[in-house]
Amino acid sequence: ARPHSMAAEAFRSLRTNVSFLTTTPGSAAFVVTSAIPGEGKSTVAANLAATVAETGARVALVDADLRKPVVATRFGIEGGVGLSDVLVGRVALSDAVQSWGVSPLFVLPAGVLPPNPAELLGSEAMTHVIDQLRAVFDLIVFDAPPLLPVTDAVVLTRKATGAFLVVRAEHAHTDQVVDAVAALATADALLLGFIANSVPAKGADAVASASSGYADAQAKARGR
């Protein structure tokens, strides 16, 4: 919405850095996750996908958060049918992917929330979906749940090129970030790097913090 803002330029810098990780043949499939809820991983995933698509590359943004999906809402598209429906064979992948905007950006919403998200993301059907996406797109960006509450992101990262860990300034504690890195390492899932989010800035270009349904759910569970 603000292509000349500091935030937009930050995502263009991120796009440049990410481009150095896509020099091998074949489409890259990146998982964007975080240690805990509320670090802005969905915002980062969405803007990274949109920024890469600005270059003319065909990009698929996949909402792999089958617990608290937000991608469909953020992009203002219908989210009733998506990834979960494809994984159980209810619809074809080509029927669930939606084009967005004038750039070659395509969005696959989460779809109907399933009772077994981790199992679906770790299934052979998910492997097949990734293979199908790789055959069509130059880059695939997965918005995945945070690492510490659930195992979904670890399972998915093992099938992808690797993961980026979003760390929001003054939000996650050091031990939480360390535990998140350990969760990926224990499962032999590749951590490609860290993305610092909501780094304090001055003036009108200060980056707003992202909200999270996970944090709200945790607060309710604790009676807060």
Side-chain angles (χ1 to χ4, degrees), residues 72-100:
T73 301
R74 295 276 179 91
F75 282 83
I77 62 175
E78 173 57 45
V81 175
L83 176 61
S84 64
D85 305 278
V86 175
L87 292 176
V88 299
R90 190 176 294 125
V91 299
L93 177 61
S94 57
D95 294 330
V97 174
Q98 303 179 45
S99 61
W100 188 85

Side-chain angles (χ1 to χ4, degrees), residues 177-202:
V177 177
V178 171
D179 288 346
V181 172
L184 290 169
T186 300
D188 291 326
L190 180 62
L191 174 61
L192 295 168
F194 297 87
I195 298 175
N197 189 35
S198 293
V199 177
K202 297 180 180 179

Side-chain angles (χ1 to χ4, degrees), residues 23-41:
T23 56
T24 56
S27 299
F30 295 142
V31 174
V32 179
T33 183
S34 58
I36 59 174
E39 299 200 69
K41 50 91 180 173

